[in-house]
Amino acid sequence: IKLIDTVSDMLEGSISDLVELLYGLDTLKCINGGETGIQELMVHFSRFFGMELKPSQCYNAYVDIRRRKNRE
């Protein structure tokens, strides 16, 4: 069993991974029946994981994800 000191130690992925998760949750309307927007999700999840995620980082990561998907 791996003990963690903080919640931020739980997230082992990149900011791009977190953004992909947020957009997935938003697209599938998994949080609050889809009433919670991506910006609000970003604020709550970044606070939960103890990281600073700015709207521009979120948007840039989303654009990168879309580019990657379009190349496949």
Side-chain angles (χ1 to χ4, degrees):
I1 297 176
K2 178 184 174 188
L3 297 177
I4 55 173
D5 295 325
T6 63
V7 175
S8 62
D9 291 337
M10 289 174 35
L11 185 64
E12 295 180 4
S14 66
I15 288 178
S16 181
D17 293 335
L18 177 58
V19 170
E20 193 164 6
L21 172 66
L22 295 177
Y23 273 97
L25 292 171
D26 184 57
T27 299
L28 295 174
K29 301 180 183 337
C30 291
I31 307 293
N32 198 23
E35 295 296 317
T36 304
I38 193 70
Q39 295 291 329
E40 191 175 347
L41 288 173
M42 180 193 68
V43 169
H44 290 294
F45 273 74
S46 61
R47 188 180 309 138
F48 178 77
F49 286 114
M51 50 191 325
E52 185 178 341
L53 186 60
K54 298 176 184 166
S56 61
Q57 288 175 296
C58 192
Y59 177 76
N60 291 338
Y62 177 73
V63 169
D64 289 342
I65 291 165
R66 295 291 300 194
R67 276 192 213 127
R68 183 180 73 219
K69 183 170 175 52
N70 288 335
R71 280 187 250 160
E72 296 175 350

